[in-house]
Amino acid sequence: MSRSMVCNAAFAMAISLTPTVCHAQDVFGTLNASLDGVERTWFLTSQDTESQSFGMTVAIANMQSFSLWGQPTDKTVNDVKDSLLLGFDVMSVGGNAMPLNVSLTYLADGWKSGWLANEADQIVFSLKTLEKVENGILLEGNFSTTANYSDALSSGQVDPLRTMQINGSFSATLPNSLLKKQ
């Protein structure tokens, strides 16, 4: 065996014996929606305690706030391009959960351009399940809106003449690690 073959074999063996570090990617839910009739699925993901999705409890106001950030693949955690963001608050009144401040944003090209619905009368939203479970909070529901296009999403300005129909549902068990108290 030539010296280079021995070196290559030793190098290959060394690489195969080197421990690899893997970070577990968790998928804890999905946002399913049709964008003008085209069906899609976005994934609610976390890696350790890193996620763009979260839940927050505001004890004084008896309110909970949720941000469900759908990633375009089940392998991403912080992608903003081609992401679907659903945000809403829930106020508990007399044992009933009342959804408030619902917003839906499709980040077509990150915060550069996309579709936004954040007006109270613009979104039909139903929260079917809001339940504390062993490993977090189970959330399920539906949404429907006619969103407006924006070429500067971060400004909040939209073009009311360019619209897209978005209909969908969500199901997630938001993990305890992503739940905060204020």
Side-chain angles (χ1 to χ4, degrees):
M1 222 199 263
S2 74
R3 183 172 175 99
S4 66
M5 289 177 74
V6 170
C7 287
N8 287 343
F11 181 69
M13 182 173 278
I15 287 176
S16 70
L17 296 176
T18 303
T20 57
V21 178
C22 295
H23 295 283
Q25 177 82 14
D26 293 319
V27 175
F28 57 86
T30 57
L31 293 168
N32 297 298
S34 68
L35 306 178
D36 273 345
V38 178
E39 295 292 328
R40 296 274 313 273
T41 297
W42 290 265
F43 301 90
L44 305 173
T45 62
S46 67
Q47 187 170 338
D48 301 320
T49 59
E50 181 184 349
S51 179
Q52 290 183 315
S53 298
F54 66 88
M56 184 183 313
T57 300
V58 182
I60 294 172
N62 205 23
M63 185 179 293
Q64 293 175 294
S65 184
F66 299 98
S67 178
L68 303 178
W69 194 304
Q71 295 291 311
T73 74
D74 61 354
K75 308 260 186 284
T76 55
V77 175
N78 290 321
D79 221 345
V80 292
K81 190 173 184 178
D82 191 29
S83 294
L84 187 66
L85 173 59
L86 174 65
F88 59 94
D89 298 330
V90 177
M91 180 176 274
S92 295
V93 179
N96 294 324
M98 225 171 55
L100 306 164
N101 306 318
V102 180
S103 67
L104 185 69
T105 309
Y106 172 57
L107 305 170
D109 191 21
W111 288 105
K112 294 178 185 173
S113 65
W115 304 86
L116 175 65
N118 63 355
E119 299 295 326
D121 61 345
Q122 193 175 12
I123 302 172
V124 175
F125 180 84
S126 88
L127 183 61
K128 293 182 175 183
T129 308
L130 171 63
E131 178 182 321
K132 180 79 176 139
V133 293
E134 182 181 328
N135 53 344
I137 293 180
L138 175 62
L139 301 163
E140 296 175 315
N142 299 307
F143 52 88
S144 179
T145 188
T146 301
N148 297 105
Y149 179 78
S150 175
D151 59 5
L153 274 173
S154 59
S155 74
Q157 295 179 352
V158 296
D159 179 353
L161 300 177
R162 291 181 65 186
T163 63
M164 175 171 30
Q165 185 64 38
I166 303 175
N167 302 314
S169 63
F170 59 95
S171 178
T173 300
L174 202 56
N176 288 323
S177 63
L178 301 178
L179 301 174
K180 312 294 181 219
K181 291 189 178 191
Q182 187 176 35

